[in-house]
Amino acid sequence: MTQRMTPSERMMAVMTGQKPDRVPVVPFVLGYSSKITGISLGDFYADGDKCFEAQFASMRLHGYEQTPMYGYASLGAFEFGGEIEYPYGKGQGAPFVKKHPVKNIEDIEKLEVPDFKRELPGAYKEADKLAARCHAMGMPVSVQIGSTFTATSVVADTSEFLSWLLMEPKAAHSLLNKVCDMFINAIDYFAEKYGAENMLPFDGGPSESNTMISPEMFAEFAYPYMKRIHTHLKELGVHAVLMHPCSDQNKNIEHYVKLRNELGWSGKYVWLFGPETPIKDQVKAFGDHDVICGNINPPLFLTEPYEKLLEICKQTIHEGMNSPSGFILAPGCEFPVNAAPIKLMAMMDAAEMYGRYE
């Protein structure tokens, strides 16, 4: 009988181009794990230690391959001096912006880029607590280092920023540069403290999706800053990056392909596209060198019963597990906070039943 791999061995196999015993499961669990330790969702984001403990407990309970990480879609505003609210209220799922630090073009010039030397800005204080706990246990340090475009869209009033793309492009680029500088400073801090080789940073966001901007605007306002960040990651010696192009980004795929080609980077990207992007399209674009994540539509974990989810996971596994450079079973975005544990169990059971390699 073949000896079973541990979760860390399974992920190591996939990340090094080897075949694991079964398809790994990365359920993109964040807030859901708060129910495992019984803390509030607000405390989960407001306290990096509690955030780590909840995710670590959930990882051990369910047996999946994801290690703890810290981040949320509205990161950026708090770090530049704005205000956020943690999700203590009913129906809230993640921190959200209460006050944007940039309300008009004049505010851009006055905006100071956090340097990470005197004091960690905003939520990075909590991210660092979680990173320290992960590093001490030999797990990857997963911190948010993008996307510049999405973060900029919350540093400024979102509707104003989107109008500047057309009406005030120089101002938009000025703000994008400052937000990109912040992410570069974050990368330097965590790479120096924990070692670039121990990092698994993550990049991605919904604001550059094709439902918000055209692929031409992506090329002008999103791609240059993504390329700058990933060039810096390569120069520091980061081996792998989790990429999450959220929502419909099918028309942006050519730019993500271009990123690897222009960088000449031999590291691994782990692609977690939204459910709008078929697995076959991801395999065609990235399967020869990167890891593909099977992107089940997250609301299905709220609406569908266990038996139906098992079948959906089975189909997803069959579509993806023959990807040449590796496959991971995952939802197309964060696992729903209020989903029942048995819904996550469907992913684990499907991987065991249908995701085993010969």
Side-chain angles (χ1 to χ4, degrees), residues 144-167:
Q144 192 167 343
I145 49 84
S147 82
T148 296
F149 189 90
T150 289
T152 305
S153 74
V154 295
V155 170
D157 176 87
T158 305
S159 59
E160 286 292 321
F161 172 68
L162 293 176
S163 72
W164 295 341
L165 302 182
L166 295 172
M167 307 302 294

Side-chain angles (χ1 to χ4, degrees), residues 66-322:
Q66 177 189 331
T67 51
M69 59 197 301
Y70 188 97
Y72 54 91
S74 294
L75 186 137
F78 187 21
E79 290 64 38
F80 274 95
E83 297 178 16
I84 64 166
E85 285 197 7
Y86 291 109
Y88 287 104
K90 185 178 180 180
Q92 296 171 353
F96 58 94
V97 180
K98 182 179 179 181
K99 180 181 178 182
H100 300 279
V102 172
K103 299 184 181 63
N104 51 57
I105 290 175
E106 289 71 28
D107 289 337
I108 298 174
E109 186 175 350
K110 297 180 289 185
L111 203 65
E112 293 186 10
V113 178
D115 63 12
F116 285 72
K117 293 178 180 177
R118 293 167 293 180
E119 183 180 10
L120 294 186
Y124 279 109
K125 296 175 185 176
E126 305 311 319
D128 191 35
K129 293 178 184 177
L130 181 141
R133 302 283 294 273
C134 287
H135 186 257
M137 297 188 69
M139 294 186 287
V141 173
S142 292
V143 294
Q144 192 167 343
I145 49 84
S147 82
T148 296
F149 189 90
T150 289
T152 305
S153 74
V154 295
V155 170
D157 176 87
T158 305
S159 59
E160 286 292 321
F161 172 68
L162 293 176
S163 72
W164 295 341
L165 302 182
L166 295 172
M167 307 302 294
E168 301 286 348
K170 287 185 178 180
H173 278 296
S174 178
L175 184 55
L176 283 159
N177 268 302
K178 289 192 173 187
V179 174
C180 191
D181 287 344
M182 178 197 73
F183 282 133
I184 293 291
N185 291 342
I187 292 166
D188 287 342
Y189 172 84
F190 286 98
E192 181 178 352
K193 185 171 182 178
Y194 300 109
E197 70 280 4
N198 298 315
M199 292 182 67
L200 179 62
F202 59 97
D203 182 353
S207 295
E208 57 266 50
S209 70
N210 301 137
T211 57
M212 299 284 284
I213 62 173
S214 68
E216 293 76 20
M217 295 181 81
F218 182 98
E220 180 179 354
F221 294 101
Y223 182 79
Y225 304 99
M226 182 173 66
K227 182 180 178 182
R228 182 183 164 205
I229 283 174
H230 287 253
T231 298
H232 194 64
L233 292 169
K234 176 190 174 184
E235 290 171 347
L236 289 176
V238 173
H239 301 316
V241 183
L242 172 60
M243 298 290 287
H244 177 42
C246 193
S247 191
D248 183 356
Q249 298 210 32
N250 286 294
K251 294 179 180 178
N252 298 335
I253 288 178
E254 64 179 283
H255 298 295
Y256 290 113
V257 172
K258 179 183 175 183
L259 178 68
R260 170 182 284 281
N261 293 337
E262 290 194 343
L263 261 61
W265 190 52
S266 60
K268 286 277 188 184
Y269 285 121
V270 180
W271 293 99
L272 180 62
F273 276 82
E276 299 86 353
T277 303
I279 292 175
K280 63 180 178 61
D281 292 348
Q282 298 182 55
V283 173
K284 181 180 178 181
F286 311 109
D288 288 340
H289 38 67
D290 291 333
V291 178
I292 306 301
C293 292
N295 48 349
I296 299 166
N297 195 12
L300 295 177
F301 292 101
L302 292 171
T303 61
E304 299 296 336
Y306 168 88
E307 293 78 11
K308 177 66 173 177
L309 286 169
L310 196 66
E311 185 62 29
I312 292 169
C313 291
K314 175 184 177 181
Q315 181 61 37
T316 303
I317 289 169
H318 286 171
E319 290 176 3
M321 71 181 298
N322 293 319

Side-chain angles (χ1 to χ4, degrees), residues 41-49 51 70 86-88 95 126 129:
L41 190 58
D43 283 351
F44 174 85
Y45 283 103
D47 187 319
D49 285 313
C51 185
Y70 188 97
Y86 291 109
Y88 287 104
E126 305 311 319
K129 293 178 184 177

